[in-house]
Amino acid sequence: MRTRKYIMLASVLLGSFGGFAQTAIQGNAQVVHLSLTQAVEIALLHNLNVKSFEISLKNAELTYQQSRFNQLPSLGGNVNQAASFGRSLNPFTNGFDSRNINYNNVGLNSNLTLFNGGALKNTIAQNEFTLKATQEDLASIRENISLQVVLAYLAILNAEDQLAIANTQSQITKLQIERTQKLVNAGSLSITSLLDLKAQLANEESNVVSFQSTLDINKLTLLQLLNDSSIQAFDLARIQVPVPSSKGYEVPLNDIYAKAVTLQPLVRAADFRVQSASRSVSVAKAFRLPILSLNGSWSANQSNALRTVELLGTQTVNLGSVSIGGQSYPVSTVQPKFGSGATVGYFDQLNNTQNKVVSLNLNIPIFAKYANRTRVLQAGLQQRNAEIEADRARLTLRQNIEQAYVNMLNAAKRYEAGAVQVAALEESFRASESRFSAGTIDFVNYNLQKTNLDKARLSLVQVKYDYVFRTKILDFYQGKSLTF
């Protein structure tokens, strides 16, 4: 559809001669000399749509890379620091302690997915096809910009040729006025013939202004496509425009389409999106299958409540008494006396409190409220829609190629017929000019011959550039260079 809009734009630009606009590229600015290749390169460098698609491409690349990274194991750490004030529970003795207690926990956790129904693998493939489709989208927008530049370039050359013909027409009329002035002065012609020629000259000079305005509009169109603030005024290098031939294009219509289907970025992008949608169906089906994962963790803790034990000496402990022969005797023993020492070192506590866990987890979906079924059906609909879009891209491509091919053949036939007409009218005008100078025909007949010749010449130039543009459309579909 985009190419069809460009073809419509071609008809407007190559066929519009009645508009007026301010000369936006004239003035004191330095004139830049541009070739067609340079114009295309500048437009691609500064076009905002191209820049936007380049950002979209980078985003697609990141998405694809991340889907590959998702196959790697995850690793995370945690640190927890807390303080307890007042009467607190000692985490080591499980008794209450009246002092303030600080405690710290550290840990590492890791997870590796061993099997998830192929979701990871299919997601990678899906994102890869999406990336390729985005690459083709960028190629398509670049080609379309190039095509617009070629169109605008040809429109300017066409307008320049039209303007040159209009200037030549007015120059011929001026020469005829000079000859007629002499004949009027000599009494061979009436003053009416001279006045008619001056009126004709005024009309032709008005046409020159109109064609100059058309040229300015076309230059403004190309200037806007270039979008380069450093270029305010330019002139274009002339190109060798091929002569239209009704023998037809060197490649048959079916061969053009067969090649275009394999090369055109829009079709390739549509096909990649079909493959991406197909993978999305596989991803949706993976939610029905169990997920097997391997998990590992390590943790340790520290607190100022854990202190070392110190030997403070010995102490006598009364164990009670025993009765011997009716006499009671006390019983005691000497035991070591221990006391609370300094807080155990931080890393010593971490080393002594390590906890390591390895687990194998299997998550089996049993009933998810038909969410998985809905997910699969929706993915299938998206795939079908992508297939329809791919068919539409092929249909549009074939229609555009057929339209361009027919238009190219018609333009070639019109050019050949126009060339014969111009040759015949030039002979007729030369005879009429001599007869008018001799006074054997009136101004009406002379002006009719000149007007017919002028229209035929302008039409011939118009048809020539229309033919060239149609051939470039066919070249575009085959991936050929758009430059000459």
Side-chain angles (χ1 to χ4, degrees), residues 143-162:
E143 289 186 357
N144 287 332
I145 295 300
S146 301
L147 185 62
Q148 291 183 62
V149 172
V150 172
L151 166 61
Y153 199 100
L154 291 175
I156 291 174
L157 298 184
N158 177 41
E160 289 178 345
D161 288 350
Q162 299 273 12

Side-chain angles (χ1 to χ4, degrees), residues 299-301 306 344-355:
S299 63
N301 56 75
L306 181 61
V344 178
Y346 181 81
F347 292 102
D348 290 335
Q349 290 194 46
L350 294 184
N351 185 56
N352 294 331
T353 60
Q354 290 187 75
N355 179 39

Side-chain angles (χ1 to χ4, degrees), residues 196-459:
D196 289 338
L197 282 173
K198 289 183 177 180
Q200 176 68 19
L201 177 61
N203 181 64
E204 291 173 353
E205 288 179 342
S206 175
N207 290 336
V208 169
V209 174
S210 177
F211 290 140
Q212 179 64 59
S213 177
T214 300
L215 175 60
D216 293 338
I217 292 175
N218 294 341
K219 283 189 173 183
L220 178 60
T221 299
L222 179 57
L223 188 66
Q224 292 173 342
L225 286 172
L226 297 178
N227 194 30
D228 188 347
S229 58
S230 65
I231 300 177
Q232 298 298 325
F234 62 85
D235 60 5
L236 302 181
R238 301 292 300 186
I239 58 178
Q240 187 65 35
V241 179
V243 177
S245 173
S246 60
K247 294 181 180 179
Y249 197 67
E250 66 271 16
V251 182
L253 178 61
N254 290 334
D255 291 347
I256 295 175
Y257 174 73
K259 190 172 184 180
V261 164
T262 62
L263 294 178
Q264 276 299 296
L266 283 180
V267 176
R268 290 168 59 87
D271 289 341
F272 283 133
R273 288 192 169 90
V274 171
Q275 297 179 70
S276 176
S278 176
R279 292 291 183 167
S280 70
V281 174
S282 300
V283 172
K285 290 180 178 179
F287 284 91
R288 297 172 171 176
L289 301 176
I291 299 176
L292 180 64
S293 61
L294 178 65
N295 297 277
S297 65
W298 171 89
S299 63
N301 56 75
Q302 177 271 338
S303 173
N304 65 344
L306 181 61
R307 296 177 176 271
T308 60
V309 178
E310 295 184 356
L311 180 60
L312 302 179
T314 61
Q315 60 181 352
T316 301
V317 178
N318 186 13
L319 299 179
S321 62
V322 296
S323 178
I324 301 176
Q327 184 66 33
S328 178
Y329 299 94
V331 178
S332 63
T333 184
V334 178
Q335 296 179 349
K337 184 178 182 182
F338 297 97
S340 177
T343 302
V344 178
Y346 181 81
F347 292 102
D348 290 335
Q349 290 194 46
L350 294 184
N351 185 56
N352 294 331
T353 60
Q354 290 187 75
N355 179 39
K356 302 172 184 177
V357 178
V358 176
S359 62
L360 195 63
N361 300 323
L362 182 64
N363 184 7
I364 304 174
I366 298 176
F367 179 69
K369 305 176 184 178
Y370 298 107
N372 294 334
R373 173 180 174 274
T374 302
R375 188 181 290 111
V376 173
L377 293 175
Q378 289 176 334
L381 293 175
Q382 292 175 358
Q383 180 183 3
R384 180 55 187 151
N385 187 64
E387 292 170 350
I388 294 174
E389 290 301 320
D391 291 340
R392 179 182 289 120
R394 283 174 167 77
L395 177 61
T396 301
L397 177 63
R398 172 172 281 279
Q399 291 174 343
N400 289 341
I401 291 176
E402 291 172 345
Q403 185 70 43
Y405 198 87
V406 171
N407 289 338
M408 180 270 301
L409 291 179
N410 290 336
K413 293 176 182 178
R414 292 201 309 271
Y415 180 85
E416 291 182 350
V420 173
Q421 182 186 29
V422 169
L425 288 174
E426 286 177 343
E427 291 293 331
S428 177
F429 176 70
R430 279 193 289 268
S432 297
E433 190 175 27
S434 299
R435 294 170 63 190
F436 178 72
S437 299
T440 58
I441 62 172
D442 57 16
F443 175 78
V444 174
N445 290 321
Y446 165 80
N447 186 57
L448 179 62
Q449 291 289 335
K450 187 175 185 302
T451 300
N452 290 337
L453 176 59
D454 294 342
K455 290 181 178 180
R457 285 172 173 170
L458 292 172
S459 177

Side-chain angles (χ1 to χ4, degrees), residues 7 15 21 23 26 54 59 66 76 89 117 219 337 369 422 463:
I7 295 176
T23 305
Q26 295 179 346
E54 288 174 347
N59 184 62
Q66 184 58 51
L89 184 66
K219 283 189 173 183
K337 184 178 182 182
K369 305 176 184 178
V422 169
V463 172

